């Protein structure tokens, strides 16, 4: 008869025992409140999914370690300088690398040049990590102001897919994820995901890694009320005052929302 004190083990053992997340506010998890008073986000949610596919140890922790080095506002070169070198020290089984979005939305940026720098960093990561996961950018066609950058984002995405093919990277295709086109996937600032949006990205990332999930990232949303043209215009004006103008102002002043912010999980630690 089995020992009644034995810790239940997962039916399907996942190969990832360690995971490091690199990036900016998207990966830090902004606007997804966590249980500790900070932010959770899709990377934390993905880490939990991966951990649950590993055995539990006598300590009660999963046989899985996770670090999140992402900091809001970071540009690609900052991520490469501050975060990428840490991967060589940690040598994780999996690293997610999402960078370049803050570069692309800046006036005068060249997605071709950003992609070249991204690939150089991805090659470095492949030398120190068992698997590298990247993300395409979101389709911004329904987002005020950012919809005018859709062509640049699409160009960058094309580069990212080619980079993934050349370097054997896993790709979570956020551009193709139709469910996050729904307004409810986004927080009030329309720049960062809401909790449900983060959950759908976590599921998308898991599936890109070949991990089965009970939930579907493309599950339909419940019916929503339709705003009139007047209500939509009023909502857009309020959003511009509360979020767009301060965001533009920070860029004009050369400030970043990530100034003086430290990574929330700087070292590989058990869940």
């Amino acid at each position: 008869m089995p020992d009644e004190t034995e810790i239940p083990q997962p039916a399907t053992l996942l190969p990832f025992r360690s995971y490091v997340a690199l990036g900016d506010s998207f990966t830090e998890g902004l606007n997804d409140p966590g249980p500790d008073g900070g932010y959770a986000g899709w990377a934390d949610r993905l880490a939990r999914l991966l951990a649950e596919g590993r055995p539990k140890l006598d300590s009660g922790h999963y046989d899985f370690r996770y670090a999140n080095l992402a900091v809001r506002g970071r540009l690609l070169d900052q991520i490469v300088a501050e975060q990428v070198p840490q991967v060589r020290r940690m040598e994780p089984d999996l690293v997610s690398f999402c960078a370049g979005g803050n570069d692309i939305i800046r006036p005068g940026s060249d997605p071709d040049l950003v992609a070249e720098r991204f690939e150089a960093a991805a090659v470095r990561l492949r030398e120190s990590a068992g698997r590298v996961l990247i993300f395409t950018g979101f389709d911004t066609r329904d987002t005020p102001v950012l919809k005018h950058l859709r062509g640049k984002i699409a160009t960058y995405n094309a580069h990212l897919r080619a980079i993934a093919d050349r370097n054997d990277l896993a790709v979570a295709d956020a551009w193709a994820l139709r469910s996050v086109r729904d307004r409810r996937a986004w927080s009030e600032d329309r720049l960062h995901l809401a909790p449900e949006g983060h959950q759908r990205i976590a599921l998308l990332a898991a599936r890109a890694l070949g991990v089965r999930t009970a939930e579907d990232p493309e599950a339909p949303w419940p019916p929503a009320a339709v705003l009139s043209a007047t209500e939509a215009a009023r909502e857009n004006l309020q959003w511009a005052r509360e979020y767009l103008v301060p965001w533009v102002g920070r860029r004009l002043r050369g400030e970043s929302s990530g100034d003086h912010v430290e990574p929330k999980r700087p070292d590989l630690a058990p869940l």
Side-chain angles (χ1 to χ4, degrees):
M1 179 177 293
D3 183 356
E4 294 182 358
T5 64
E6 183 178 347
I7 300 174
Q9 303 299 339
T12 302
L13 191 66
L14 297 181
F16 305 111
R17 296 183 61 192
S18 55
Y19 165 40
V20 177
L22 311 180
D24 51 33
S25 60
F26 171 65
T27 303
E28 185 185 346
L30 257 61
N31 297 354
D32 181 19
D36 60 354
Y39 292 116
W42 67 264
D44 284 22
R45 293 167 180 263
L46 174 63
R48 177 63 58 180
L49 285 171
L50 298 177
E52 291 173 351
R54 297 293 307 171
K56 271 199 170 182
L57 306 175
D58 293 339
S59 63
H61 293 108
Y62 291 101
D63 180 27
F64 183 84
R65 295 176 301 147
Y66 166 53
N68 190 318
L69 308 182
V71 175
R72 68 198 72 172
R74 289 297 192 261
L75 298 170
L76 172 59
D77 289 346
Q78 293 174 312
I79 294 169
V80 171
E82 300 168 5
Q83 300 174 30
V84 169
Q86 301 301 317
V87 176
R88 180 177 294 277
R89 173 176 61 86
M90 298 179 181
E91 295 187 331
D93 295 326
L94 171 67
V95 59
S96 61
F97 179 42
C98 186
N102 287 327
D103 299 74
I104 295 300
I105 63 177
R106 293 198 167 205
S109 62
D110 185 338
D112 300 335
L113 298 178
V114 176
E116 287 181 9
R117 303 202 307 275
F118 183 97
E119 182 165 19
V123 169
R124 289 176 58 188
L125 291 172
R126 283 285 287 118
E127 297 171 351
S128 305
R131 193 78 170 121
V132 177
L133 170 69
I134 67 171
F135 292 77
T136 61
F138 293 101
D139 188 346
T140 59
R141 62 180 169 181
D142 300 319
T143 308
V145 181
L146 293 183
K147 64 183 178 182
H148 301 295
L149 301 174
R150 191 178 184 224
K152 288 177 67 175
I153 296 170
T155 299
Y156 190 53
N157 284 348
H159 281 300
L160 293 178
R161 294 187 186 96
I163 290 168
D165 287 343
R166 285 193 293 268
N167 298 282
D168 189 27
L169 313 180
V171 182
D173 194 354
W175 177 279
L177 188 63
R178 292 167 295 180
S179 64
V180 295
R181 296 176 190 168
D182 191 290
R183 177 68 183 80
R184 289 168 288 181
W186 297 87
S187 61
E188 290 185 357
D189 68 7
R190 304 188 188 183
L191 298 171
H192 301 101
L193 293 166
E196 180 61 23
H198 278 287
Q199 177 65 11
R200 290 174 184 259
I201 291 296
L203 296 171
L204 178 73
R207 293 191 173 194
L209 294 169
V211 177
R212 293 184 178 182
T213 62
E215 298 177 72
D216 183 358
E218 289 284 27
W221 292 82
V226 179
L227 297 178
S228 68
T230 301
E231 290 171 328
R234 186 182 302 118
E235 187 179 86
N236 287 340
L237 181 60
Q238 182 178 354
W239 166 76
R241 287 173 175 168
E242 290 187 23
Y243 299 105
L244 179 62
V245 172
W247 179 73
V248 172
R250 284 197 304 271
R251 272 143 187 78
L252 292 176
R253 295 189 299 270
E255 299 175 357
S256 169
S257 58
D259 290 345
H260 314 299
V261 175
E262 297 295 327
K264 64 181 183 180
R265 290 180 66 97
D267 297 300
L268 280 173
L271 287 175

